[in-house]
Amino acid sequence: MKYGCSLEMVNMLTSSLNFIYKQSKSFWVDYFKFIAAAGFKGIELPFNPFGGDPMAFETGRCGIPLSAGAIQAKYGSPDEFLAFLNDVGIEKVVSIHMNANDVQLEANVRGYSRKLYFELLEEMGLAAVAHAASLKAECLVVSPSPELGWLNKYGIAEDDVEFEDATVVVLNTVAKAAKGAGIALALKAEYWSFFRGKRLAGLQNSVAGALMAPDLAHLQIAGDPVTAVVKAHAHETACLHLCDTAFKDTVGNYARINAEIPVDGAQKVFCDLGEGDVDLLGAMKALKDSGYDGWVIAEQRKTPDVYRGLLKMRWFIDHEIEKKLGEA
Amino acid sequence: MGNLKFSYQTNMWGLKVQYPKLSDWNEWYKGDFSNSVYYLDWDQILKYHVGAGFTGIELMFHMQPYIEQFFGEPQAFTAFAQERGIEAVTGTFAIAFNSQDKSRRKEALDALQTNIDFTADLGGHVINVMPCGGYYGLGPLSKEQVTNAAEFMNEFGRRCNEKGITPCVHTEFWGAINKADLFPYIEQLDQKYVGFCLDTAQVLIMGYDPVKFYDDYHDFVKFFHLKDTTFAYTPDELRLCAGAEFQDNGDRWFWELGAGQVDFKGIWKLLKKYGYKGWIGLETDGTPDPMATMLLSKYYINHELLPIYE
């Protein structure tokens, strides 16, 4: 298995010391070097092509490489960006992650309607395919729905068949474009997603050629049997997200807006690898036993120190995963 | 009781402050053992302001959705702040996107109406407004576009005034209304409805002396963003490129008061000369440590400026 690192572990949407430096190209240039120094040869990049949502505007106009425009403005071109990554020791952009919740936020600003939402979802999906192709990525990871909290706000119930069907139509269009570009489309369901639980498998069956990108922390919070899910879908997994959590959603937070920022109950949703209670070793053993030889994307969302986070991640993978799998 | 009260723009703490109030401090501290937990919620950040002697705060436009999502309504946020000793949310900051385009006037005004309502609901009295957007992609503006942008501000000003709010033009060194257009633009503003927020560093970086500016336009200046810079009179090529506000090498544009080239004592002498009374805003975005910068700025105010005029 090959290990990559998700850039979403650098959380731009929170208050923290020196947060503004993380908006500069300087930070990212150094951070890519540190990712390589920590032994990660691949990366997953977040993607947001919009600028109407004020947070998207703020994060899209600086050195954060989260859109084609940012790559162009700050790194010259996709080819120059890839050459830079190669030069510092990162072999490839493994995957691009698009999140339908970003579509929802953009639609909110433009005057939400269901029609507008799906138009923007398709726009984002096709732009993500083009972006992934320009960066020679293997995979487009798709979080296929906004937060249930937003859906509830706009009258979309958890059994809304029309919403599900319209999502399938758009994702098939995106999947067709991805296939044409030689890119795998993989689905990832967050614990706050319309498609959480067994519903994601149904969506996968309805989207031609779609693979899976299971996220261990989200599976655990949603109450899914993590290792069993990984084992069941190992043969159709494009990349696995190695994430940890100790969070227990005891107040129905999954159905609220900003589900990853709980106001009530426990508030810290994600934690560094090994500090939660996900059976990471069990899940990875199931993956290995299935013969999986693809990418594992490690991620410590909202880790408080993004530099120390890289070292902790590498140590955990080497000593608590790889070494023990070798001994098993 | 002095003539001056101090308000701080909260954008130096983060694009958003995630939590209203942490329920279990140890949930974050244990295992991390760093100071990151001190920066995660409004509860603590508001207390730092009050402890340092800042009794006003200002919010960014991009914070609006989250304030509404976490506090339900803007009034609840203001009450939350007041419970911790904040006297007022003095106002907000917004960008008048597309205001240089007359054909999009209604769309642009409608987009900013939510900011008027948000500011009024917070109890604020000022909206600091960046005209049009960034120079990169828009500039240079034609004379007609500059006129359109001014007409927009005048109409926006009338709408704001109806709710007791003064919109204050806030120029940015990287903005579409830039060095060549600033004074022609100002000349077309109706000062009955529109004021100016003198951002001392932005004006100095763009290429004008903020002391002279205040001397010339003291009646027009209705609010301040005091901040310092070490990039006085910066050349165009550094100011007008893509993403200019975020320097590729990581350099800071903005510093705490007294750490750069702005002549704050000159400004303070003019505040005394013209008898300014009311809120003075500070904005020191770009600092790696907002708490240190806030305290250093207040030290400078207390020890270097207030002896001149308070």
Side-chain angles (χ1 to χ4, degrees):
Chain A
M1 284 180 284
K2 298 163 285 189
Y3 290 91
C5 166
S6 166
L7 272 296
E8 288 184 46
M9 69 182 277
V10 181
N11 177 26
M12 293 308 308
L13 299 181
T14 187
S15 46
S16 62
L17 280 165
N18 216 5
F19 86 95
I20 206 162
Y21 178 60
K22 296 183 184 125
Q23 292 178 271
S24 75
K25 181 182 174 184
S26 173
F27 167 81
W28 291 94
V29 166
D30 275 350
Y31 202 59
F32 286 125
K33 294 175 186 171
F34 302 155
I35 288 170
F40 295 100
K41 301 297 184 189
I43 54 172
E44 178 173 298
L45 290 172
F47 176 71
N48 189 344
F50 300 125
D53 169 58
M55 284 299 175
F57 167 75
E58 289 293 344
T59 53
R61 66 191 182 97
C62 52
I64 308 169
L66 57 52
S67 69
I71 298 280
Q72 197 78 37
K74 290 295 185 184
Y75 301 89
S77 67
D79 285 345
E80 288 174 83
F81 181 62
L82 290 176
F84 156 72
L85 292 179
N86 292 161
D87 188 49
V88 300
I90 294 173
E91 292 172 2
K92 69 179 306 168
V93 175
V94 176
S95 46
I96 300 294
H97 177 216
M98 66 165 269
N99 191 332
N101 202 58
D102 291 327
V103 176
Q104 178 72 53
L105 297 179
E106 184 72 12
N108 292 347
V109 173
R110 298 196 197 182
Y112 176 82
S113 70
R114 190 183 287 220
K115 180 173 179 291
L116 174 63
Y117 167 80
F118 283 109
E119 287 172 357
L120 292 176
L121 182 64
E122 181 171 316
E123 179 184 328
M124 186 190 211
L126 296 177
V129 170
H131 187 55
S134 77
L135 295 175
K136 302 179 174 61
E138 292 179 9
C139 178
L140 171 62
V141 176
V142 178
S143 296
S145 110
E147 292 177 322
L148 280 169
W150 283 114
L151 297 182
N152 293 337
K153 178 180 170 68
Y154 289 110
I156 299 168
E158 291 185 47
D159 59 353
D160 191 317
V161 177
E162 285 183 16
F163 178 84
E164 187 167 359
D165 290 347
T167 302
V168 168
V169 170
V170 171
L171 291 187
N172 269 302
T173 301
V174 176
K176 185 178 177 184
K179 185 179 180 185
I183 295 164
L185 184 148
L187 299 169
K188 162 183 170 178
E190 288 77 5
Y191 72 93
W192 42 257
S193 172
F194 182 92
F195 295 100
R196 74 193 189 284
K198 292 180 179 175
R199 197 175 233 169
L200 190 69
L203 179 66
Q204 185 209 2
N205 289 333
S206 302
V207 177
L211 299 174
M212 291 292 210
D215 180 308
L216 305 187
H218 279 289
L219 287 172
Q220 172 106 342
I221 298 169
D224 293 326
V226 175
T227 301
V229 170
V230 169
K231 189 173 181 180
H233 294 282
H235 64 290
E236 53 194 5
T237 292
C239 65
L240 179 131
H241 288 83
L242 185 65
C243 311
D244 206 354
T245 182
F247 180 70
K248 303 290 179 291
D249 186 10
T250 58
V251 295
N253 206 68
Y254 76 96
R256 297 180 183 178
I257 292 170
N258 293 313
E260 292 183 21
I261 313 174
V263 174
D264 301 321
Q267 293 177 301
K268 186 176 181 182
V269 176
F270 303 103
C271 58
D272 291 352
L273 298 183
E275 295 178 1
D277 51 22
V278 179
D279 181 9
L280 299 174
L281 181 62
M284 291 296 290
K285 184 173 187 311
L287 198 64
K288 183 186 178 188
D289 290 347
S290 74
Y292 180 82
D293 64 351
W295 284 92
V296 172
I297 300 294
E299 183 176 327
Q300 296 179 155
R301 291 174 73 90
K302 300 187 181 180
T303 192
D305 181 330
V306 296
Y307 304 110
R308 184 177 61 183
L310 283 175
L311 297 176
K312 288 175 74 176
M313 220 155 62
R314 170 49 60 190
W315 183 90
F316 185 86
I317 290 168
D318 285 350
H319 292 262
E320 298 295 331
I321 300 290
E322 286 293 287
K323 184 179 175 187
K324 291 183 178 176
L325 285 180
E327 290 168 353
Chain B
M1 192 70 180
N3 294 309
L4 308 178
K5 295 188 286 189
F6 295 96
S7 177
Y8 224 123
Q9 168 57 260
T10 53
N11 58 356
M12 66 177 171
W13 299 89
L15 288 175
K16 70 178 176 183
V17 176
Q18 285 205 81
Y19 296 93
K21 189 176 189 305
L22 296 183
S23 55
D24 181 1
W25 207 77
N26 243 332
E27 191 178 8
W28 303 89
Y29 182 68
K30 196 173 178 182
D32 177 39
F33 305 121
S34 81
N35 57 353
S36 64
V37 67
Y38 285 97
Y39 297 85
L40 287 176
D41 69 354
W42 280 111
D43 177 51
Q44 295 177 104
I45 287 172
L46 290 168
K47 288 172 181 172
Y48 305 151
H49 284 78
V50 175
F54 294 98
T55 55
I57 58 166
E58 181 183 335
L59 300 180
M60 290 296 288
F61 68 103
H62 55 246
M63 297 173 177
Q64 179 179 348
Y66 300 93
I67 292 291
E68 292 172 346
Q69 289 156 23
F70 286 113
F71 291 88
E73 55 186 17
Q75 293 91 335
F77 174 78
T78 299
F80 182 88
Q82 289 174 336
E83 286 168 12
R84 286 151 182 81
I86 293 290
E87 181 183 334
V89 180
T90 53
T92 58
F93 180 95
I95 303 177
F97 290 114
N98 304 314
S99 57
Q100 78 286 355
D101 184 347
K102 195 171 185 175
S103 70
R104 302 179 73 177
R105 175 78 46 86
K106 182 179 183 306
E107 173 195 340
L109 282 166
D110 288 348
L112 276 194
Q113 183 63 45
T114 59
N115 195 266
I116 296 176
D117 298 338
F118 178 57
T119 306
D121 288 344
L122 287 166
H125 69 281
V126 168
I127 301 177
N128 296 314
V129 185
M130 176 189 179
C132 308
Y135 186 93
Y136 184 84
L138 289 180
L141 298 183
S142 67
K143 283 185 180 179
E144 184 184 359
Q145 287 175 311
V146 173
T147 297
N148 291 340
E151 286 176 356
F152 172 93
M153 273 303 293
N154 292 334
E155 174 56 28
F156 180 64
R158 279 187 280 274
R159 294 187 181 200
C160 285
N161 287 186
E162 289 172 6
K163 293 214 171 185
I165 294 167
T166 301
C168 292
V169 170
H170 183 289
T171 54
E172 314 266 344
F173 68 81
W174 53 279
I177 295 290
N178 213 281
K179 199 170 179 179
D181 302 320
L182 179 59
F183 293 105
Y185 171 74
I186 288 174
E187 285 166 12
Q188 297 179 73
L189 296 174
D190 187 340
Q191 296 186 19
K192 181 180 174 186
Y193 301 109
V194 179
F196 193 86
C197 174
L198 177 56
D199 186 307
T200 50
Q202 295 277 6
V203 167
L204 185 58
I205 295 168
M206 185 186 284
Y208 295 108
D209 175 8
V211 180
K212 182 176 187 317
F213 188 96
Y214 186 59
D215 205 14
D216 292 344
Y217 289 97
H218 53 272
D219 286 335
F220 181 39
V221 173
K222 305 293 187 190
F223 203 70
F224 295 85
H225 272 174
L226 302 181
K227 61 172 171 261
D228 220 334
T229 183
T230 57
F231 282 91
Y233 307 101
T234 295
D236 287 357
E237 58 267 26
L238 198 56
R239 295 187 299 109
L240 306 180
C241 58
E245 202 181 10
F246 307 95
Q247 297 201 59
D248 288 352
N249 63 5
D251 278 357
R252 285 171 67 175
W253 286 109
F254 307 128
W255 291 78
E256 49 270 11
L257 278 59
Q261 298 160 315
V262 172
D263 178 11
F264 289 107
K265 291 180 182 176
I267 289 172
W268 237 253
K269 288 171 186 169
L270 292 176
L271 292 175
K272 181 178 182 180
K273 176 181 174 183
Y274 296 118
Y276 182 87
K277 294 180 182 177
W279 288 98
I280 297 275
L282 283 77
E283 185 194 41
T284 48
D285 44 325
T287 173
D289 188 336
M291 193 130 48
T293 287
M294 184 166 67
L295 291 171
L296 285 169
S297 292
K298 196 59 166 55
Y299 175 88
Y300 185 82
I301 289 170
N302 289 348
H303 291 264
E304 302 290 340
L305 301 180
L306 293 186
I308 298 171
Y309 176 63
E310 64 175 311

